[in-house]
Amino acid sequence: MAQHGTTPRQNHTSEETPTTRRGTARSEWALGGMVFAGVLMMVIGVMGIINGIAGIATDDVYTNIGDYVFKFSLTTWGWIHLVIGLAVLATGWGAVQGRGWARALGIAFASLFAIEYFMFLPYAPVWSLICIAIAIFVMWSLATAPDAVH
């Protein structure tokens, strides 16, 4: 039998690939936060759409409250939730895809989303506080994300 050489094989693929520079831990967290913010935007967008459809379909989904400064009919609230939910869903999809326009629009729509749920606070207080907290996290993570996503 013929004996083979004992020199180890070289891995040419590792030498041929360009080295990539890893970002700092802070930028990796910020990038992960941006992707997570996009996913959260898509989830709360879908929840807003469902909330809007429920408000449009029937007027007895939420309890009517007494006199309130931001008093709209529940059908009007349904349309508001539906329109903002669609906008947040589409922007969240853009943020997950890493689109540059989604960062600025995401911050704007998250701000609008937080204001909407602040005004909706008397109808669903716990859910409104959760939505406001999510909107604040989304705004922070989109504002601190690194410039180059890809």
Side-chain angles (χ1 to χ4, degrees):
M1 283 204 149
Q3 242 180 4
H4 296 286
T6 57
T7 59
R9 270 195 278 181
Q10 294 180 355
N11 187 359
H12 294 290
T13 58
S14 65
E15 293 173 4
E16 294 171 359
T17 58
T19 58
T20 58
R21 192 184 90 156
R22 291 191 52 144
T24 63
R26 182 179 180 274
S27 65
E28 289 174 359
W29 274 97
L31 179 62
M34 184 174 139
V35 172
F36 185 59
V39 171
L40 279 177
M41 287 176 71
M42 291 187 332
V43 169
I44 61 175
V46 169
M47 294 299 292
I49 292 168
I50 292 170
N51 198 5
I53 291 171
I56 293 168
T58 61
D59 245 3
D60 59 354
V61 174
Y62 297 104
T63 306
N64 282 323
I65 56 172
D67 289 331
Y68 183 55
V69 175
F70 308 111
K71 187 174 181 180
F72 298 123
S73 72
L74 291 176
T75 305
T76 305
W77 275 117
W79 282 106
I80 292 170
H81 285 302
L82 181 66
V83 169
I84 293 176
L86 286 170
V88 169
L89 174 67
T91 307
W93 179 253
V96 168
Q97 296 296 316
R99 307 288 185 234
W101 56 265
R103 289 180 64 186
L105 277 179
I107 292 170
F109 285 143
S111 302
L112 189 61
F113 187 80
I115 292 169
E116 168 196 9
Y117 273 95
F118 175 76
M119 293 170 54
F120 196 68
L121 201 58
Y123 296 97
V126 174
W127 178 245
S128 294
L129 289 176
I130 290 169
C131 287
I132 291 169
I134 290 171
I136 290 170
F137 173 77
V138 166
M139 287 184 279
W140 171 82
S141 59
L142 291 176
T144 61
D147 289 336
V149 178
H150 292 290

